[in-house]
Amino acid sequence: MAASIRRSRISRISESFKIAISEIWRQTPGKAALVLFILLVAMAVIAVVTITPDFLVKWESASYWEDNPVVVPPCWVNSLGYKTAKTAQIYFTTPSSMEVSESEVRYIYTYNYTLDVNEAPKDLYVKAEVPLLCEEGVFKAPTIRVTVERPDGIVVLAWDMVIEPGKTGENVTLTCGSLLSAKTSKETFRLAEVTSAIMDKYNITVPTEIAGTNETYVITANSIMRTTIRTELENKYLTILSVFVKPISYKISLNRNTTTLEVFSKQINNLKTTFLDLGINIVLRDKIIEALDYAANNITWVINNINTVTYTDYLIAMNNAYENLNNVNKLALAASAPVDVRSSVDDLTKTLGKFIEVATTTPSLIQPEIVFDVLQGDYRVNVTITYYGVKNPPRALSAKIGIIVKGGCYGILGTADKGVDIATVVLYGTPIALAIGFATAVASVFIGVIAGIVSGYYGGFIDEAIQRTVDVLGNIPLLPILIIVGSVAQRTFTGEAKSLYIILTYIGILIIFGWGGTAITVRAMTLSIKEEPYIEAAKALGASNTRIIFKHILPQVLIYAAAVLVFNVPGAIITEAGLSVLGLRHGWPTWGSVLSSARAENRFDVWWWILPPGLMLSLTSLTFVLLGLAIERIVEPRLRTL
Amino acid sequence: MPGAGSVILRRGLILLVTFVIIVIVVAAIVEGTGYSKDIYEAMIREIVNGEVMALRRGGNITEAFIEQYKKNRTYQLMVEFELIDENGNEIPPYRRMWSLVYRSLLFNFTKTDKVGVANVVPTTAPADVASIIAAVLPRTIIVVTVGEAIAIVIALLIGPRVAYRHGSLADRFTVAYAAIITAVPLWWLAMIFIQVFSYNLGWFPRDLRGVATVLNEFWNNPLNNFVEILRYITMPITAFVIWSLGSWLYGLRAMLLRVIREDYVMAAKARGIPERLVTRRYVLRVSLAPVITSVILALAGSIGGMIITESVFNWPGMGTLYYAAIQEGDSMTLLALTIVYVGVYLVARFILEILYIIIDPRVRVR
């Protein structure tokens, strides 16, 4: 009997619920609201099902998003005319191929990356977790070798390193099969080899009309150029990105400025005058003058032929001058020339020596200029894990190899600072936002309805007390209270659940200040319902106060309460977001916290950072406003009867 | 009219009582959680360190003396700040809080040594918290009042036209605009504004902090500075107007629709009174009082929204001061801001209520 009554009550409630939904669906804004609402709930469900427990704690740490490029737009912008390299984060658990020879076994992991825009990726690295093999009690640590086959045919050996167990002297107890991890870096990149490979491929050499014919000097000139190119790649392409570039033009010139040479020449002539005036051994003096003349002539020759001289001839002449000056130095010592004269000869010799040294080690004489551009096309990245001396290599290596190319775009919604994936945070922010909104709305409407009914039905002292409380609460601005209590909460709460407690504090304050409006309206409704004849009839039949309230008043108030509840949901969500933007961060991945980080980093120029969370806030808010309006239209005739 | 006077007095009294209650509650919260103790201890440390440094500069002082001095002075100050009584016993929070209440009611706050907070004015730290707030408060009031005034004028101009053409395209557009714009957080609109008008179009400064200098040196070159201020203030005010216009138009439209259907308006029209006159004398005059009611009710929301928005624009008002204080963990400034904010809000509300009583004769009779 009781069960059937209960069932009939449930069926009645579900019946009226169905009617309400169809009433809402009949209105255009109501339809939009329902569709949006279902989308929101779907997002929330997906988020709750897929979220990992550590996400709430770790989402703000940079290491969690290590493989993502930082502050890049979503990838679909390429169809809007943006040009961005795509991002690849490929993790292998099985090798692409395996080669076994007598002395070694190689596991090869291959990934093909296509670069189809004129922009180099931002980073390239390989992460490896490989097992330590052992055979007959001997540990076998592997080497890792990363080669890149470029579209232009060059095969670049980018990294070649031994994976060493327990690097920094920690107490690692190694066992067979324990995993060793390694990550390639800028420091271990073989830039010298890559530079040489590029120079060979594109025949970048110093031309004979610049370098001359002397083999040593040709080699010197080329090595200066190599160093320059290397520095360029290091600075402009952050070392690693040299994998993705090719030279498009280069120009090598000889410094034809003679100012320094003229200074040398003048100083030698000055020395000559000095020596001519000295009263020293005449034979030695003549020899000194002769050597100075030779030196001067060599330099003058360079000055006179500066427009045609080659690097070889230039340096040979300078070396001759240097030898002669050295000679002068010795002769001056033999002739016991005055100390000041000898030291000025010595100084000049040293300066000239320095000049030659600089000319053979830095781009001071040989001045290469080279322009690089991005090399588009198909790249093939090969990661080779090699074990030496393993007789029975395992077929399935329990290794995890990651090849990461950080491009200029990422995912559906791009990334924020630290590489935070905005799509993920926006998705996981949905259930939190809805929870905050509903918790606040339900609790404050619940309190409001109860207070309103009690106040209206019983009247007297209780009514007066509730009304005055509502008066005072209505006079208080909410924001400053939220801020001071929020910052107290931030200081007071510690530990793992800190974020939760802070949010609960916000919700608590919002509830305390949120029930007043509902209470006033419900009180008015109760007052008018109380005067209805059927209430009097019920009282006459001996119905208790509880029965009258639950049977006659509450059902009429409820549908109004539903409208208020729906209207109240977005307020709390937006307030929480606003507090985050104001700097009161709680640490959970909410829409507000994404916007807050944009505020903190001062990056309002990044549209993909501020649009999605703000749009979600606005759409959520709009959903409930429209839903509320639709419900209100159903309620309206009842409200008019008041 | 004695009726109006007593109503005003009563309202004023209620608001004053509300203020005192809020101050007491806030004091209880900050004392009860130990939050204020941190403030005091930081302050005492600051004062003692400052004095010790001055002593050191004087020279010829032994370390032992300094240690002793520190200890004595800390004790003395703890008594002064009422953390402990003369016997060295700790004063419990429920007794201690009353001195904080007393000081807050007199707006007597101490100094802050946080550079970031002082920079909002800008002035040099350490600076008096009360004077910092006094310097930034007008900047917030200007934006809110000017924005609110512009929004009301536009709403009064457009509202009647829309209401008369109930159901027309313009009317529906207004309703849709109101629904959408109220759903958008004002401070997010501000972010979009900065992106579009400052970054993409380059019309306005990206950061409005610079207006502080212009305001402080206004009288050196009033004309130039006025133009410069316009360049800074346009974005916050425009964003505020666009946002608040939504609820204004919606509210006014609903109000007018109700009044237009009244019999006396019909009668006035039937008498042949020009439509404009009907609108002004018979419709708008009656609608004004409820409009002010909605201003009063929306006041907290619009000031609150503007506080967060200011911090987004980095407009050096209350909002940016809040942001700076939160970033620097400056509890004293936060506490002072709370008290002042509540005070200013209640005063604004009181002014509006007086206005309401003047405009609406029914209240006077009641």
Side-chain angles (χ1 to χ4, degrees), chain A residues 45-358:
Chain A
V45 169
I46 293 171
V48 169
V49 171
T50 59
I51 197 164
T52 49
D54 59 346
F55 185 79
L56 286 182
V57 186
K58 287 187 178 165
W59 78 279
E60 274 191 306
S61 70
S63 60
Y64 188 87
W65 309 100
E66 187 193 29
D67 293 347
N68 289 358
V70 173
V71 194
V72 294
C75 280
W76 46 263
V77 297
N78 281 339
S79 58
L80 298 179
Y82 276 73
K83 298 221 177 313
T84 56
K86 63 181 177 191
T87 297
Q89 297 162 346
I90 313 296
Y91 280 91
F92 295 91
T93 46
T94 51
S96 314
S97 64
M98 181 181 172
E99 291 170 7
V100 187
S101 72
E102 266 179 44
S103 60
E104 61 192 59
V105 54
R106 288 196 292 273
Y107 299 91
I108 300 163
Y109 302 80
T110 304
Y111 172 65
N112 292 321
Y113 178 80
T114 308
L115 187 61
D116 49 7
V117 290
N118 201 26
E119 187 206 74
K122 291 177 192 292
D123 201 359
L124 162 75
Y125 59 88
V126 170
K127 288 200 289 192
E129 261 179 39
V130 288
L132 188 64
L133 298 184
C134 39
E135 223 160 57
E136 293 155 2
V138 182
F139 290 130
K140 307 280 184 185
T143 64
I144 177 169
R145 178 177 296 190
V146 182
T147 56
V148 181
E149 293 171 31
R150 308 190 347 154
D152 58 1
I154 305 179
V155 180
V156 168
L157 174 58
W159 286 280
D160 187 359
M161 49 202 237
V162 181
I163 301 178
E164 284 166 35
K167 259 184 190 168
T168 45
E170 310 144 31
N171 277 334
V172 188
T173 29
L174 292 170
T175 53
C176 291
S178 61
L179 288 174
L180 313 173
S181 56
K183 190 183 154 191
T184 63
S185 70
K186 197 166 147 178
E187 285 69 36
T188 49
F189 187 80
R190 298 162 73 89
L191 184 60
E193 281 89 336
V194 174
T195 313
S196 299
I198 292 174
M199 283 177 72
D200 290 349
K201 169 75 188 177
Y202 293 93
N203 290 323
I204 300 175
T205 51
V206 184
T208 317
E209 66 262 31
I210 300 286
T213 46
N214 182 302
E215 209 173 302
T216 320
Y217 289 127
V218 170
I219 292 172
T220 311
N222 276 315
S223 97
I224 288 170
M225 194 176 63
R226 189 187 311 271
T227 314
T228 313
I229 293 175
R230 210 180 129 167
T231 316
E232 170 92 359
L233 288 173
E234 209 172 316
N235 297 334
K236 209 166 162 191
Y237 292 96
L238 312 168
T239 306
I240 293 169
L241 304 184
S242 53
V243 167
F244 298 104
V245 296
K246 64 168 187 217
I248 49 168
S249 72
Y250 71 95
K251 196 180 107 204
I252 292 142
S253 51
L254 196 69
N255 187 353
R256 306 206 186 262
N257 187 337
T258 55
T259 320
T260 325
L261 298 180
E262 271 153 16
V263 171
F264 281 136
S265 169
K266 199 175 154 200
Q267 279 173 331
I268 293 172
N269 283 330
N270 285 349
L271 277 178
K272 213 167 118 185
T273 336
T274 318
F275 275 107
L276 280 174
D277 291 348
L278 282 179
I280 53 169
N281 183 318
I282 201 90
V283 182
L284 287 174
R285 198 183 70 182
D286 284 350
K287 278 189 176 172
I288 287 172
I289 299 297
E290 195 185 8
L292 284 173
D293 274 339
Y294 275 129
N297 286 345
N298 269 304
I299 291 173
T300 315
W301 181 86
V302 176
I303 293 173
N304 290 339
N305 296 291
I306 192 71
N307 288 322
T308 51
V309 71
T310 62
Y311 182 65
T312 304
D313 293 344
Y314 195 131
L315 278 183
I316 288 175
M318 295 311 284
N319 263 327
N320 281 341
Y322 177 74
E323 291 303 325
N324 279 306
L325 276 182
N326 243 343
N327 222 358
V328 171
N329 229 346
K330 284 175 200 155
L331 290 169
L333 186 65
S336 322
V339 178
D340 57 327
V341 178
R342 260 164 44 209
S343 75
S344 63
V345 174
D346 194 44
D347 284 350
L348 185 57
T349 317
K350 276 182 185 151
T351 317
L352 193 55
K354 187 82 195 163
F355 177 85
I356 293 166
E357 194 196 321
V358 170

Side-chain angles (χ1 to χ4, degrees), chain A residues 586-625:
Chain A
H586 42 68
W588 268 8
T590 57
W591 300 329
S593 61
V594 177
L595 292 170
S596 160
S597 64
R599 163 80 179 89
E601 303 287 318
N602 209 2
R603 290 303 301 270
F604 293 138
D605 55 322
V606 185
W607 58 265
W608 61 86
W609 194 341
I610 56 173
L611 271 185
L615 273 179
M616 285 307 292
L617 279 169
S618 306
L619 279 179
T620 308
S621 179
L622 189 65
T623 305
F624 288 101
V625 169

Side-chain angles (χ1 to χ4, degrees), chain B residues 59 71 73 163 199 204 221 225 314 359:
Chain B
K71 215 169 142 193
R73 193 73 182 106
Y199 281 96
F204 302 108
N221 189 350
N225 284 339
N314 215 351
I359 284 180

Side-chain angles (χ1 to χ4, degrees), chain A residues 402-418:
Chain A
I403 299 176
I404 285 91
V405 184
K406 284 188 188 174
C409 69
Y410 183 82
I412 311 169
L413 293 179
T415 62
D417 65 328
K418 301 174 191 158

Side-chain angles (χ1 to χ4, degrees), chain A residues 475 491 582 599 604 607 610, chain B residues 38 188 195 311 323 331 345:
Chain A
N475 283 337
R491 188 86 60 93
L582 203 52
R599 163 80 179 89
F604 293 138
W607 58 265
I610 56 173
Chain B
D38 290 353
W188 183 62
Q195 169 155 120
S311 94
Y323 188 77
S331 324
Y345 168 78

Side-chain angles (χ1 to χ4, degrees), chain A residues 364-481:
Chain A
S364 65
L365 270 191
I366 288 282
Q367 294 178 321
E369 280 168 41
I370 186 152
V371 180
F372 285 100
D373 198 11
V374 175
L375 174 65
Q376 297 184 28
D378 295 325
Y379 289 81
R380 173 185 288 240
V381 183
N382 289 312
V383 179
T384 312
I385 305 291
T386 312
Y387 290 92
Y388 296 95
V390 179
K391 291 191 187 82
N392 300 310
R395 287 270 136 213
L397 188 70
S398 59
K400 192 174 157 202
I401 307 292
I403 299 176
I404 285 91
V405 184
K406 284 188 188 174
C409 69
Y410 183 82
I412 311 169
L413 293 179
T415 62
D417 65 328
K418 301 174 191 158
V420 172
D421 178 22
I422 293 172
T424 310
V425 181
V426 165
L427 178 69
Y428 289 154
T430 314
I432 302 176
L434 291 184
I436 292 174
F438 271 106
T440 312
V442 168
S444 53
V445 168
F446 182 75
I447 297 175
V449 166
I450 291 186
I453 290 178
V454 167
S455 180
Y457 190 80
Y458 292 103
F461 169 71
I462 301 174
D463 182 30
E464 191 61 28
I466 290 176
Q467 290 307 304
R468 291 292 78 78
T469 313
V470 171
D471 263 1
V472 171
L473 286 178
N475 283 337
I476 300 175
L478 189 50
L479 189 72
I481 308 295

